Structures are given as C-alpha cells and as structure tokens.
Amino acid sequence: ITKKLEVPENGDPYKDWLGDREDKKKENKAKNELQRLQNISKEVKLKSNEISSTVNQAHVSTASLGKFQDKVRNEKKAKEIGKHKKFEPVTGNGKSEKRNRWL
C-alpha cells in the first residue's frame, strides 16, 4: 500500500513530506497521552481530598465533635472552618469599658 501526498508547488521536492506528517502525528499522540495522564492524576487528587473531607465531617458530626473517636494512621488534622469570634473578658479594667462605650 502506497500513501500519496500532494506536495505544494513551492515546496522542496526532496523533503520527506510523508515522514514529517507521521512525526507530527506521533507528537500529537504523545501530547494527548501526557494530557490524559495529567487528567487522571488531577482526578485522583480530587478523590483523595473528597475522602478526607468526608472523614473529617463524620468526625465532627458527633456530639463530642470527634474528640473521642480513633484516628486513622496518616490522618491529617481537620481544619476548623468558620468564623471564630473572640469575646472580651466579662471583668476588665474600667478604662477600656468607658472608651468602648463612648465610641
């Protein structure tokens, strides 16, 4: 089976046009394979993050907020999500209370 390929009029007749075409095709295949592998690695990372967040949510879902539940080996500590409001002490010096009242 012979492959036919039209050579442009101003193209070099001694150039391997068919070889160039096959080389480009191989490069595209390699590029697609690399992209496929990168997509798979991203998917695996997303799944592992999803699993860890589910485990953390299960720990926090108990009344003790997971304080007495066993930790799995290599388990990361859960991040506390949300706003943490700092309250000033009930008993304090009078100067700061006066100043806050007048502001």
Side-chain angles (χ1 to χ4, degrees):
I1 300 174
T2 59
K3 295 182 180 181
K4 294 183 180 181
L5 181 67
E6 287 188 25
V7 178
E9 288 183 22
N10 59 353
D12 184 13
Y14 298 106
K15 185 178 176 184
D16 185 16
W17 292 93
L18 194 60
D20 285 349
R21 185 174 165 192
E22 290 175 355
D23 289 343
K24 285 182 182 179
K25 195 171 189 178
K26 285 180 184 178
E27 286 176 13
N28 284 339
K29 280 186 179 181
K31 181 181 169 188
N32 287 341
E33 181 66 17
L34 178 67
Q35 187 64 43
R36 185 182 73 85
L37 293 174
Q38 287 175 347
N39 289 342
I40 289 172
S41 69
K42 284 180 187 177
E43 185 177 324
V44 168
K45 286 180 185 177
L46 288 176
K47 285 184 181 179
S48 66
N49 289 341
E50 186 177 313
I51 289 171
S52 64
S53 67
T54 305
V55 168
N56 291 336
Q57 185 178 6
H59 281 306
V60 176
S61 295
T62 61
S64 62
L65 298 176
K67 191 173 188 180
F68 302 108
Q69 292 182 350
D70 297 332
K71 301 282 185 203
V72 181
R73 191 177 72 196
N74 298 330
E75 182 179 336
K76 295 179 183 176
K77 187 174 180 180
K79 293 181 182 177
E80 295 182 22
I81 300 173
K83 294 183 180 179
H84 301 284
K85 189 170 183 180
K86 275 194 170 181
F87 294 101
E88 292 186 23
V90 177
T91 58
N93 59 6
K95 291 180 182 178
S96 65
E97 291 179 14
K98 276 186 180 180
R99 184 181 41 156
N100 288 339
R101 191 177 335 140
W102 291 105
L103 290 179

